[in-house]
Amino acid sequence: MREPKPSVDPILNPSGLLRVFDKITGVFVDLFDPRLLLPAVTALFAYAVYFTHRKFPGRWMEYIALGLILVAIVALTARTPGFVYRVRWHKGMAALWFALHLCMLVAGFFNENWLPEATALLLAYPFLFAIISARDDTSTLYAVTRGVVLATMPFLLWSFATVRFSFSLTVGYAGVFYNQNGFAMCAGLMSVCALLLCYADWQQGRRKLAAVYGLLSLMGACAVLISASRSVAIAYLGVLLVLAGCVLLRRARRPWLVIAGMLCVCIAASGVLGYITWQRVYRYAEEDYFWSQYINETTDLGLDPHAPHPNERVFTLDDVSSMRVSLWRAALTNLTWNGHQQSFVVEWMHANNYELLPRNAHNAFVQVAYNYGWPAGLLFALYVAFSAYRAWLYYWRRRHVQVMAIAPLLITTLFILQGLFESIYSPFSPVCCAYLVTQGVLWRKSLDPTDEEASA
């Protein structure tokens, strides 16, 4: 009597998804070569950087649709023709992902603006995760980091060549981007990826190539500095601390010296960021005061009681955070189970008479909860926390056999710290796109190195 075959759950065993993918693409799979993955990933990131530069022009659905085409091309080029995949997903990662994006899809039925994003994240990326989970990690991570560098570099060179450079801690340099935060986000991501490549090539003895990537990383770091973007600077410093801690603690004979050195760096960095913050806050207070004086001299409205002289003004967390704290508070106190129709925190706008100053939550976690409902916000926080834990496990278990094993941890760190101050959870924003593509290596049931990797 023939034994029944075990049932295959495509959510927990992505091999079924890969077979469906092969049936859909058919002969087109054989027309692509895995070596084309780098150009395909570069095109995907260039598309994301371009729309960050333009601040997402055009219709949102068209933007998502074109991005999905590029994701499909990346999937095709990542697929190894004729190779039979045997891969299983981690139940926790897959369950949190599908629960999160099903909540987002439900919210999209109530608020149609979010339906394209929710559909793209729920359906498109799992196919990409399945393919990336089944291929060689080293080539994937090299393709992602090199693709980011190749995609972002032309925009930075375009900025320096066409926009006059001016350094100011209070205003910041934006280049050809719509504001300094967009410029800094792309520059910071490029610098982190170039630093990863510098570290990997140095470890493998390619010193000249490592020097080139080191210079590119320094260029990106300088771009972050001249942008005067505090949110990106905090995220960038966090990545540097994680990288230094992982590398030094693995080799140091006296770990307490490493920890003490990292604390000194944190204190020095906090002092610099505090000085930049004070300069910006004081300048804005001066502008409010001078504007109040002008209104008093030209109209009968009198002095604005909310705009005293900076020396007499009591500064709040809102002043220090560029109104982010009150935005977070307003968004969190007005959460619903199915989200809101718009991304702007209208309750904050009405309460502060800022109808002409639309502002989103400037926090990826708060924004997801506000747009899609508090259940989605909770699941999103759980997924990101669990992916960070898995990224650490991935690095720790492969640190001696895979030089690029630290890449998912650093990109996850950048995404989390950036997401604390900016609303970046979008399928094709640069930092989030890098975060999503690297999730494929973390979705495997086992993060241990293979026998081939251990013996290499």
Side-chain angles (χ1 to χ4, degrees):
M1 184 176 180
R2 186 177 299 178
E3 295 183 359
K5 293 183 179 179
S7 60
V8 177
D9 185 351
I11 291 182
L12 301 181
N13 188 345
S15 301
L17 283 179
L18 292 172
R19 286 193 291 271
V20 172
F21 179 78
D22 285 346
K23 289 180 179 179
I24 294 173
T25 56
V27 69
F28 295 103
V29 173
D30 295 325
L31 299 179
F32 288 88
D33 190 305
R35 289 173 295 183
L36 295 176
L37 178 61
L38 176 59
V41 170
T42 302
L44 176 62
F45 285 114
Y47 181 76
V49 174
Y50 172 74
F51 276 92
T52 301
H53 145 71
R54 294 292 302 276
K55 200 178 180 180
F56 311 117
R59 295 183 59 191
W60 190 246
M61 287 187 179
E62 295 173 357
Y63 168 68
I64 297 295
L66 291 174
L68 289 178
I69 293 173
L70 287 171
V71 169
I73 294 175
V74 171
L76 286 169
T77 54
R79 182 75 163 91
T80 305
F83 186 79
V84 178
Y85 293 105
R86 292 289 183 269
V87 60
R88 291 183 66 85
W89 279 338
H90 187 275
K91 294 180 180 180
M93 292 286 283
L96 282 173
W97 176 272
F98 287 105
L100 164 62
H101 295 95
L102 281 172
C103 282
M104 293 171 62
L105 189 67
V106 171
F109 290 124
F110 291 92
N111 312 296
E112 62 182 11
N113 287 342
W114 314 132
L115 197 57
E117 263 191 3
T119 305
L121 289 166
L122 177 65
L123 299 180
Y125 274 99
F127 277 102
L128 190 60
F129 294 164
I131 294 169
I132 290 176
S133 296
R135 75 188 310 274
D136 174 60
D137 287 357
T138 298
S139 62
T140 298
L141 296 175
Y142 267 116
V144 171
T145 50
R146 287 171 178 165
V148 168
V149 173
L150 293 174
T152 310
M153 181 58 60
F155 288 89
L156 297 187
L157 295 177
W158 181 18
S159 295
F160 296 138
T162 59
V163 179
R164 184 179 178 181
F165 169 73
S166 60
F167 181 72
S168 172
L169 292 178
T170 56
V171 179
Y173 179 76
V176 297
F177 289 76
Y178 71 92
N179 69 6
Q180 66 269 25
N181 283 331
F183 174 79
M185 276 191 273
C186 295
L189 176 63
M190 188 208 75
S191 183
V192 168
C193 290
L195 186 62
L196 275 168
L197 292 168
C198 173
Y199 169 72
D201 287 331
W202 185 272
Q203 291 294 313
Q204 294 179 337
R206 297 191 289 263
R207 302 300 168 86
K208 293 182 179 179
L209 193 56
V212 171
Y213 283 124
L215 290 174
L216 293 178
S217 179
L218 181 61
M219 176 184 173
C222 291
V224 171
L225 177 64
I226 64 176
S227 72
S229 173
R230 292 168 296 164
S231 60
V232 178
I234 292 172
Y236 188 78
L237 287 172
V239 169
L240 291 183
L241 288 174
V242 171
L243 175 61
C246 289
V247 173
L248 294 177
L249 286 174
R250 190 183 69 173
R251 298 177 178 273
R253 296 181 179 179
R254 298 177 180 176
W256 64 271
L257 287 177
V258 176
I259 296 173
M262 292 171 63
L263 288 176
C264 291
V265 172
C266 288
I267 293 171
S270 299
V272 173
L273 288 172
Y275 176 75
I276 294 174
T277 299
W278 172 248
Q279 292 295 317
R280 293 178 68 128
V281 169
Y282 196 85
R283 175 178 173 272
Y284 292 147
E286 283 184 328
E287 289 180 352
D288 292 342
Y289 174 70
F290 292 142
W291 180 247
S292 175
Q293 282 190 320
Y294 173 78
I295 293 176
N296 181 45
E297 294 171 357
T298 56
T299 68
D300 297 330
L301 297 176
L303 288 170
D304 185 354
H306 299 291
H309 191 276
N311 293 334
E312 302 173 357
R313 182 167 176 171
V314 178
F315 295 102
T316 65
L317 286 176
D318 255 2
D319 297 313
V320 174
S321 64
S322 300
M323 298 184 286
R324 281 175 169 81
V325 172
S326 63
L327 277 166
W328 300 341
R329 188 181 299 117
L332 291 173
T333 54
N334 289 278
L335 295 180
T336 64
W337 73 270
N338 61 346
H340 293 76
Q341 182 66 36
Q342 72 294 317
S343 62
F344 303 131
V345 186
V346 293
E347 296 84 1
W348 176 86
M349 294 164 56
H350 295 330
N352 295 276
N353 296 319
Y354 282 147
E355 279 74 12
L356 299 179
L357 183 62
R359 297 284 295 273
N360 60 35
H362 283 274
N363 182 297
F365 302 91
V366 176
Q367 193 71 61
V368 169
Y370 186 79
N371 286 1
Y372 300 99
W374 64 264
L378 178 61
L379 288 168
F380 178 63
L382 290 174
Y383 177 84
V384 173
F386 193 47
S387 73
Y389 169 71
R390 297 274 293 171
W392 165 256
L393 284 182
Y394 182 87
Y395 163 71
W396 191 251
R397 294 178 181 180
R398 294 168 176 257
R399 65 192 186 279
H400 296 303
V401 299
Q402 187 179 341
V403 70
M404 288 291 285
I406 199 172
L409 179 61
L410 295 191
I411 292 175
T412 300
T413 302
L414 183 67
F415 173 77
I416 292 174
L417 295 178
Q418 189 88 58
L420 291 176
F421 303 101
E422 304 293 343
S423 301
I424 59 171
Y425 192 63
S426 171
F428 303 110
S429 67
V431 177
C432 184
C433 192
Y435 171 74
L436 291 176
V437 173
T438 54
Q439 291 303 289
V441 303
L442 304 177
W443 272 49
R444 291 193 199 90
K445 185 177 181 180
S446 174
L447 297 180
D448 294 326
T450 62
D451 295 337
E452 292 79 5
E453 291 172 329
S455 61

